[in-house]
Amino acid sequence: MSTTVNVENEIRDGNVNANTSKDNRHHIVLGILSRQQNGHYRITQRETWIYAMLRLQNVLPFIITYKFLLDKPSSESIKENYLHQDIVYLNVSYHGLADKFGEKMYVWWRYIHKIYPYALMGARIDDDVFVCVPQLFERLDSLKSTTLYYGWRHGKRKQIDRDNRIDDMFLVLGKDLISLISKKTYCGERTCKNKDDLIETGQGGTSMAEWLSVYNDNINFVHFVADNDRIVQLGDNQSDSHNKSLKPNFCDNKLVFHKSTCEIMHQLHVYNDHLNNSRNIEPLF
């Protein structure tokens, strides 16, 4: 696995390693999958919910590390990373909107396993997602588990398969599951010669479901938790849902907004900032 630059970007302190910190909070590592040409989304996320994480870092229930995940370096992204120090290059075989999103998922879990082995949970997030801070982290604090598999789910069955799984636009995974996946071999094909290797379905979410389905015999091993009522997953049906969801109390009832535009992220950030002020949530200095 090849990842490159800036592996210690703790939002508590740019040079603090969570493994050696005296802070007793658990650690969560967020990976935001992005494309070279989506710099406008990265800028907007830094200005909105990531800004809120930084501002409230001392009152959140976790130590949090975030990274933007790009397929490979470019001259523009290298300049961007020099300024922000928050990009990791996955150096995967397929780039952009090509096939094999499972590979990107696999490389990210291996990165967390190697660089942040003590992190309790990791997440994979799309760059058009808005996260309600601190509400999402308060929710994760109530669910925290080394075998958590959390997000917006497809299907209703307890067993995990391609039709019953967490959508990869916002997916949280516990430490033990990250470890199990990271120790396996990714074959990169839809059928592997070795039955224990990790297949590739073409998409991250369905690949992930296939990898976890081997634990279905022990139904209680994977802590499969969905928050469909609190996570807005719009898919391709956006226009009407945008109007229904964009309300000043959004973050009172919801946690995540998928398929955001930059304008929507800024609006939700303003709404949530007002909510946090009304709740007297202030940073501790």
Side-chain angles (χ1 to χ4, degrees):
M1 177 186 67
S2 177
T3 55
T4 51
V5 292
N6 306 315
V7 298
E8 298 299 337
N9 180 42
E10 309 301 338
I11 69 166
R12 294 177 59 255
D13 180 329
N15 297 306
V16 172
N17 186 327
N19 298 342
T20 59
S21 170
K22 294 180 181 179
D23 195 321
N24 292 322
R25 291 176 296 173
H26 288 294
H27 186 194
I28 183 170
V29 185
L30 313 178
I32 306 163
L33 189 65
S34 191
R35 300 168 63 197
Q36 298 284 352
Q37 59 266 46
N38 284 7
H40 56 296
Y41 278 127
R42 295 191 292 277
I43 289 170
T44 302
Q45 288 188 320
R46 291 186 188 108
E47 291 176 343
T48 58
W49 66 268
I50 290 175
Y51 171 80
M53 284 197 312
L54 289 164
R55 182 171 175 269
L56 298 174
Q57 58 187 289
N58 292 320
V59 298
L60 293 174
F62 297 97
I63 298 171
I64 305 168
T65 299
Y66 81 93
K67 300 289 181 183
F68 285 102
L69 311 179
L70 298 184
D71 291 344
K72 61 180 182 178
S74 68
S75 57
E76 293 80 7
S77 70
I78 289 171
K79 292 176 183 177
E80 178 184 344
N81 196 41
Y82 181 79
L83 178 63
H84 296 287
Q85 302 285 293
D86 62 1
I87 293 174
V88 164
Y89 300 106
L90 298 175
N91 291 332
V92 289
S93 305
Y94 290 79
H95 303 144
L97 290 178
D99 201 359
K100 298 200 174 182
F101 275 81
E103 181 187 15
K104 301 178 187 187
M105 184 83 76
Y106 175 68
V107 170
W108 175 234
W109 298 140
R110 288 194 67 196
Y111 178 85
I112 295 176
H113 181 66
K114 179 180 179 180
I115 305 300
Y116 303 105
Y118 300 102
L120 180 67
M121 295 179 289
R124 184 272 194 216
I125 306 170
D126 279 355
D127 63 3
D128 60 353
V129 160
F130 177 86
V131 174
C132 292
V133 179
Q135 294 89 338
L136 183 276
F137 298 106
E138 292 168 350
R139 175 60 171 155
L140 289 178
D141 191 41
S142 73
L143 298 172
K144 57 182 180 286
S145 165
T146 59
T147 59
L148 183 64
Y149 177 49
Y150 169 83
W152 189 95
R153 70 168 294 164
H154 297 265
K156 296 182 178 180
R157 295 176 56 207
K158 289 185 178 180
Q159 290 194 322
I160 302 168
D161 56 38
R162 296 190 194 195
D163 297 321
N164 297 272
R165 60 178 172 85
I166 297 298
D167 194 282
D168 63 352
M169 60 89 182
F170 183 87
L171 188 157
V172 179
L173 205 63
K175 172 185 174 182
D176 289 352
L177 298 181
I178 291 173
S179 177
L180 287 169
I181 290 170
S182 300
K183 291 176 181 178
K184 291 191 175 186
T185 300
Y186 164 81
C187 82
E189 304 296 335
R190 294 182 183 273
T191 302
C192 300
K193 293 181 179 179
N194 184 338
K195 66 180 180 64
D196 293 325
D197 288 352
L198 304 177
I199 70 166
E200 171 66 70
T201 68
Q203 298 299 321
T206 52
S207 294
M208 190 78 218
E210 289 288 339
W211 304 344
L212 293 179
S213 67
V214 299
Y215 305 110
N216 280 336
D217 289 341
N218 185 357
I219 197 71
N220 295 318
F221 175 63
V222 177
H223 188 35
F224 191 178
V225 180
D227 257 344
N228 287 31
D229 290 340
R230 303 187 70 187
I231 295 174
V232 176
Q233 204 283 66
L234 297 181
D236 295 324
N237 303 314
Q238 298 179 35
S239 56
D240 291 342
S241 297
H242 276 176
N243 295 330
K244 293 177 182 177
S245 299
L246 287 175
K247 297 179 181 179
N249 66 342
F250 177 85
C251 288
D252 263 348
N253 307 303
K254 307 293 184 182
L255 301 171
V256 170
F257 191 106
H258 181 224
K259 292 293 184 183
S260 297
T261 64
C262 294
E263 292 76 15
I264 287 173
M265 287 192 213
H266 279 292
Q267 185 62 69
L268 290 174
H269 177 64
V270 170
Y271 287 158
N272 199 33
D273 194 42
H274 291 160
L275 285 175
N276 287 336
N277 289 337
S278 69
R279 294 170 63 194
N280 293 318
I281 298 176
E282 296 292 339
L284 299 176
F285 298 101

